[in-house]
Amino acid sequence: MSVILHLDGDAFFVACEVARNPRLRGQPVVTGQERGIACALSYEAKAIGVRRGMPITQIKRLYPQTVILPSDYRAYSLYSQRFYAIVRHYASRVEESGIDECFVELDDFDAGIVNAIRHDLQIELNLTFSAGLANTKVLAKVGSKWQKPDGFTVIPPEQTSFFLSRLPLERVWGIGPRTATRLNKLGLITAADLAQCSHTWICDHLNKPEREIWSELRGQKTHPLTVGPRPDYQSISHTRTFVPPSAEQSFLLSCLSRNVESASRKLRRYNLLANRVKFSLKTQNFCYYSIECKLIYPTATPAKILTTINHHFNKIFRPGITYRATGVTLNNLVSSTQIEQDMFGQVNKSLQLNNIFRIIDRIGRRYGSRSVFLASSLRSLPRRLAKTKLTNDKMEFSLNIGEVLK
DNA sequence: TCTGGGGTCCTAGGACCC
DNA sequence: TCTGGGGTCCTAGGACCC
């Protein structure tokens, strides 16, 4: 009977920074400078009071001793590849479930192999990973979170109730605050309370994902291990919050234009085309209004997607309401290489247009993504970039190249 | 905790059809 | 002419994760 190991990097992004610059060790460090909010924090930063998502300006003011770094995803991804290579040296069935965590199928409760993997990770990468070993993925995850950082917790079947009776429901993987509150009202407080429920009871009160968690907590393998390369994207999205909030239609459309440019750039990078677009407005009160629309044909061309958005915008926009963010999600993705043989002329035309945007993508990589952009995105950019006088509607899909860069 | 950004999956209800 | 039953597909929205 196989068992599941869960490995979880400790403060991974920051740990990578410390690994390549040992002088940072022991200091409060955060990454996310480029986004203006703390993305990852070292345990030292956590200890002095820095929180995830905290604005960088606030961190500088309240905790001036903190070292603030921009994220270097390329470096983290290289560390991630080495992490997986080390794990695969010991096991063949590995599920990559994130840049810094994975599930591994092992033959039995063998702490030796787990310690060997963790030892190699420590020596070769200078990174620590917390580990959990149990019968199911959910229980292995309980184990890896039990003692962080650098902990290793085995949960054999006969000791499951010991751990679960000490674990509040909301700490279980897959149970968020909403579900926890609902289950609390039904009298369930700990993970053990849930695990002890009868089959008839859970059929009456829980939905499918919750029933699966129940089953996993009881040691029955329900979440299969998905081995192999990461599945393709189901969707690609781009959202952005702006300050101050705005009620102005033309500004919101411009923000959506910018969202579409970013999302479609990613689409092209992965040679994908979208069949549907969903766009949303988020109000000052954190209400979401969204609508999903079919695109006339699969495309990665921002102008085509924007035509559709403009057409449906008034279905969700309400004058007088103030909004704080816009977002765009591209759905029902297909590979562009598959579509290339398509007989419809329109699609071919779209692919040609796509080639123009691929050239723009190259310019963007060389000179920055703001060197070339759609004029319809102009109003969403900082004022110093938007000094050229343009009327948004007239410039809709024309290109504004070059000089706004400065 | 006054709340950023990019993802995934599930569900309920409506539309539509036979 | 005032109305059954069941299936499938679509979509808006909810919940969760990192």
Side-chain angles (χ1 to χ4, degrees), chain A residues 260-307:
Chain A
V260 168
E261 284 201 86
S262 304
S264 66
R265 194 179 302 128
K266 186 163 178 183
L267 213 54
R268 294 188 293 274
R269 195 184 333 141
Y270 289 93
N271 293 314
L272 294 167
L273 303 173
N275 278 293
R276 308 181 66 85
V277 57
K278 176 181 169 180
F279 64 99
S280 63
L281 300 176
K282 183 179 179 182
T283 72
Q284 216 173 359
N285 307 323
F286 291 84
C287 289
Y288 292 85
Y289 295 94
S290 67
I291 189 167
E292 194 175 320
C293 319
K294 195 165 165 40
L295 295 161
I296 309 164
Y297 47 82
T299 182
T301 307
K304 292 291 158 200
I305 302 169
L306 282 167
T307 310

Side-chain angles (χ1 to χ4, degrees), chain A residues 104-148:
Chain A
V104 186
E105 194 175 278
L106 298 177
D107 291 335
D108 48 40
F109 284 98
D110 178 4
I113 194 169
V114 180
N115 285 324
I117 295 173
R118 295 176 68 234
H119 177 262
D120 283 8
L121 290 168
Q122 167 78 67
I123 297 298
E124 291 184 32
L125 302 184
N126 221 340
L127 296 176
T128 63
F129 286 76
S130 294
L133 188 57
N135 257 333
T136 67
K137 285 167 95 172
V138 169
L139 289 173
K141 197 111 179 169
V142 171
S144 67
K145 281 212 294 192
W146 198 258
Q147 294 175 271
K148 249 187 170 297

